[in-house]
Amino acid sequence: MDLILCHTTADFDALGAAVGLTCLLPGSKIVLTGGAHPPVRDFLALHRDEYPLIERRAVNPQTIRSITVVDTQNRDRLGKAAEWLDLPTVKEIVVYDHHLGQEGDIPATQLHIAPVGACTTLMVEQLQQQEISLTPSQATVMALGIHVDTGSLTYDLSTARDALALAWLMQQGASLSVISTYRDPGLSPQLQQLLTTALQELEYLCLRGYTIAWVILKTDAFVPGLSSLASQLVELSEIDALLLVNEYPLGEDESRLTVIGRSQIPGVNLNLLFQPFGGGGHSQAASLNLRGVDTQATLEQLLQGLKASIPHPLTARDLMSSPVRTILPETTIEEAQRILLRYGHSGLSVVDAQGQLVGVISRRDLDIAFHHGFSHAPVKGYMTINLKTITPDTTLPQIESLMVTYDIGRLPVLADGQLVGIVTRTDVLRELHQNSEEFQDISPQHIAHSTQHTALNIQSRLAPQLWQLLTKASQAAEKRGWHLYLVGGAVRDLVLAETADQLMIKDIDLVVDGFHKSADVGAGVDLAKALQELYPAARLEIHGAFQTAALLWHKDAELDSLWVDIATARTEFYPYPAANPEVEASSIRQDLYRRDFTINALALRLTSPRAGELLDFFGGLLDLQAKQIRVLHANSFIEDPTRIYRGVRFAVRFGFDFEPRTEEYIRYAINSGVYDRTAQHNRKTPALQTRLKTELKHILEAPYWKSALQLLDNLQALQCIHSTLNLDAELLRQLRLLERCLHRFDPQLTLIHWQMRLEALIAHLKPEYREKVTKNLQLQEDSIHRLQNLAPAQAEVRELLPQLQRPSQIVQLLKKYDLPMLILIALQSPRSLRKKIWHYLTVLAHIQPILNGNDLKQLGYKPGPQYRQILDEVLAATLDRVITNKIEAEQFLSTNYPK
């Protein structure tokens, strides 16, 4: 016998999933292990005969071959039927569920758990895959399961998969009239009476902008349908969270407790709250059953846990951009427009000479004034002066209310009369339209369900010593009233890491966002100094006009070789393409906006409140899931060509593709000729000089350097090095030969291999271009000298080497060149010359003269300059096989150098 078990007090989702399974497992039977919700009970009173249900008492345990459990992972929710799980005759136990984050105790041989709104959805998807049709009665009960568990697709846990499943069930003939009857059947007379009592006895508490309520209802016996009562209470009372406790006697001396929880507070997870008590469910709806406990004490414990899990509400301090770009009332319309263009703002705050806010002017106001020919007029004649302002502690709901009531697009934030930030309509919309579902842990499989603000369990993914370092850094930042974020590549790698990994990241970027607390742009330096006091072994470096800091460990016992950059949140502006950006203090939001690609524009908050919150304003998580590289700005590559090289490096390293529009931006930037023009008009173009060399170093020392060069060539991006550089067949051949040479002649890595690869690329250019490129990239002196002299060296070797027959002549010619030069010469030489150079490097260069200085002294030759000449002659004779042993060597000396 194959059984399908529904949990006790079965709901429509459990029943719908079970009915779907009977279509997938013909001949299987459904067992309701202990009662059902009142609407399910009423539904089955009419429709029971349409489904293969049997009672638990009708089952012969010895005949059970397999058990499939739906809508739960816990055996205590199967009542007495849980005993069947331990029968030796049961060879297969399968679990289907959609409650994530639960620790199940059913000894399953197969687990099917997915983040969907209803368990029934999983059955629908399998039925579709196997092309199994349903009867209208089967489709109806399955549709009921999805409707009820997703609130007809209105609950936050609802997914597109649930909607597609419902659409298919409608095609299969699900009855809408039956669904409407049982989806919301109303309250029974008993529940209506309890609703009246609950509304009278409901207790409330307001905390962090949310209203939570609780009530204890004492009855003579168990009351079915309390979940419907809880939902009605939430709707009628307009509360954000509810704990409904029903206490009823179980015997003469013992009582039983049923607790129904409901929550509409983002970040509160009732499933996690109820699990320690043996309960569970969804994050927004959960329940538990207890016996023999103190009702008041249990309620108090649950209330304390609920209050502790309520997140701090977002305030203007969290939303605002800071510092605020301000202008004086006398600023002209034309100049104000230039400032908006530079910083990408939609409006500007106007302050007087004392720094007091006197008005706000929007882009639209400026455009209208400019259109009417008033470009030289001062902004004071067009700015809005009747301002609504807020404080850093104004909550998001209050901000939203002000914007809606007064139709305001931006609200200045004042603290002690000083302008410290601004909140725009875009800031508010970004928060209001984010998905409220949050995951306590993210894996590559869960990225699709991530949000702009998602919790990431960083502690489990980082090496303990790194976690301790970040904890100390966050504590130091909190002490100063600042927010601290882990940003960029480290966050990306943490998201991509397998859950079980504990990464020892070597390069960490931290950003301090504290401008609303302190106008000191050196906040990053202050934090670095505080951290160095805790880690005296770290070396502190302070650099740049913007006062960024770095802490460096070298072969430390715990942290190994670690680099931690600490900076204050900033925004940037490029005065011209390929320049160094000009930076100014700003907020974390603007700091992320200045970065290159969405997958690097992620930030993880390290400070409370909301520590562990993952900020993703630009869809970086979705791009990680799609395995694509997407740039943040259309002009990004024009401003900084090194971003092309970084994008290629990430694409090859992770096996990603460029998002089509991003690739178009790359090709447009390269084909536009902007890099050549900017190099002609500006003496300093760091993005085509030192920063480009740094990116080339990262690429050419990586194991994937060949693939990266091929992608750069495909994008025509090697032209950033020189407009004539292409990865043609000849250069590819030379690079392959270079690797053979490095492997054969430099196994101890005495040469800098990435630099040799770069020299090979430059050597492929015409000789007249090489010196300019090497100096432009600011290579080391030995590289510059080598490439400057490569052409005459090649000419000499090509002219003389073919004529030389004796080994001593070959050695005499080639020994004047060091190994890197000989390799470069060989790369561009014909095969016949390469063979001679190879023979020299492998054989001739290692032959020593048969006699040495000590031998000459023993033979009676006086030490002096002639020693060098004599030994050179002996070596030449040795190379040419004129002499082959010491006796012949001594005879050679007596003939040519008599005493």
Side-chain angles (χ1 to χ4, degrees), residues 473 476-478 480-487 509-516 518 520-528 546 565-570 585-588 591 595 607:
E478 285 180 359
R480 291 161 175 77
W482 299 332
H483 301 317
L484 183 66
Y485 297 88
L486 178 67
V487 300
D509 289 319
L510 299 177
V511 169
V512 180
D513 184 2
F515 201 89
H516 58 282
S518 166
D520 180 12
V521 296
V525 174
D526 291 343
L527 184 61
F546 194 71
D565 266 312
I566 307 177
T568 308
R570 49 190 163 161
S586 187
S587 65
I588 185 63
D591 191 275
R595 295 175 184 271
T607 46

Side-chain angles (χ1 to χ4, degrees), residues 703-736:
Y704 47 77
W705 66 270
K706 292 179 185 176
S707 299
L709 283 182
Q710 288 173 335
L711 181 53
L712 284 169
D713 182 64
N714 177 263
L715 295 168
Q716 297 180 311
L718 291 177
Q719 294 180 21
C720 293
I721 301 174
H722 192 271
S723 58
T724 64
L725 183 59
N726 293 294
L727 194 65
D728 54 27
E730 173 59 22
L731 180 53
L732 281 171
R733 183 196 65 77
Q734 292 178 18
L735 290 172
R736 287 194 295 269

